[in-house]
């Protein structure tokens, strides 16, 4: 399901939550498993959009759709720079930030980054089971 480009992570989470509550688990979640899946989906959404705003020059496209494999999130931004995995840097004392990309990769079944004219597209597939 394609939505207007969200202004921020909160708008993107709201769009994903509407999609999940209407098509995945209903207005009230159906137990702990559904709660965890929804929390993971919202966390990945928030991180992708925040990274696009903070590091990608702004969000240029956004889509969220349910597939047989799970929730497919697409976030496009205005930068052609690839995401940096700073997980190797985690032992640095006083480090602030750098946790989002490893978290996205850990919670997603599949993540692809495609460079395109004027920026990049990141597609993350989050399993819903």
């Amino acid at each position: 399901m394609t939505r207007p480009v969200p202004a921020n992570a909160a708008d993107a989470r709201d769009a994903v939550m509407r999609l999940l509550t209407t098509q995945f688990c209903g207005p009230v979640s159906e137990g702990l498993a559904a709660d965890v899946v929804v929390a993971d989906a919202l966390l990945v959404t928030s991180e992708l959009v925040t990274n696009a705003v903070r590091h990608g020059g702004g969000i240029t496209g956004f889509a969220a759709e349910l597939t047989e494999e799970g929730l497919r999130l697409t976030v496009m931004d205005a930068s052609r720079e690839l995401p940096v995995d700073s997980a190797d840097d985690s032992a640095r004392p006083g480090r602030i930030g750098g946790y989002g990309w490893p978290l996205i990769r850990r919670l997603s079944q599949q993540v692809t980054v495609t460079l395109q004219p004027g920026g990049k597209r990141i597609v993350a597939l989050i399993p819903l089971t």
Side-chain angles (χ1 to χ4, degrees):
M1 165 181 284
T2 302
R3 300 272 185 200
V5 175
N8 53 44
D11 288 349
R13 285 190 308 268
D14 288 346
V16 169
M17 191 65 178
R18 280 191 303 275
L19 175 66
L20 292 175
T21 57
T22 59
Q23 296 183 31
F24 172 62
C25 60
V28 178
S29 64
E30 299 167 3
L32 181 60
D35 289 346
V36 170
V37 166
V38 169
D40 287 352
L42 294 176
L43 184 56
V44 170
T45 301
S46 189
E47 290 295 335
L48 284 172
V49 171
T50 298
N51 286 350
V53 170
R54 185 173 290 165
H55 307 291
I59 306 163
T60 59
F62 176 81
E65 65 178 323
L66 292 177
T67 70
E68 289 184 14
E69 295 84 25
L71 172 68
R72 180 178 297 126
L73 293 173
T74 302
V75 176
M76 293 172 275
D77 66 38
S79 172
R80 290 181 52 85
E81 289 190 36
L82 298 175
V84 175
D85 188 349
S86 57
D88 299 333
D89 206 18
S90 61
R92 190 178 79 208
R95 177 179 149 204
I96 298 173
Y99 300 100
W101 187 243
L103 189 63
I104 290 165
R105 290 181 38 236
R106 182 171 307 162
L107 295 176
S108 301
Q109 177 178 325
Q110 178 181 0
V111 180
T112 59
V113 180
T114 307
L115 296 178
Q116 53 191 29
K120 67 180 165 294
R121 177 180 58 223
I122 299 177
V123 179
L125 178 63
I126 299 102
L128 297 178
T129 55

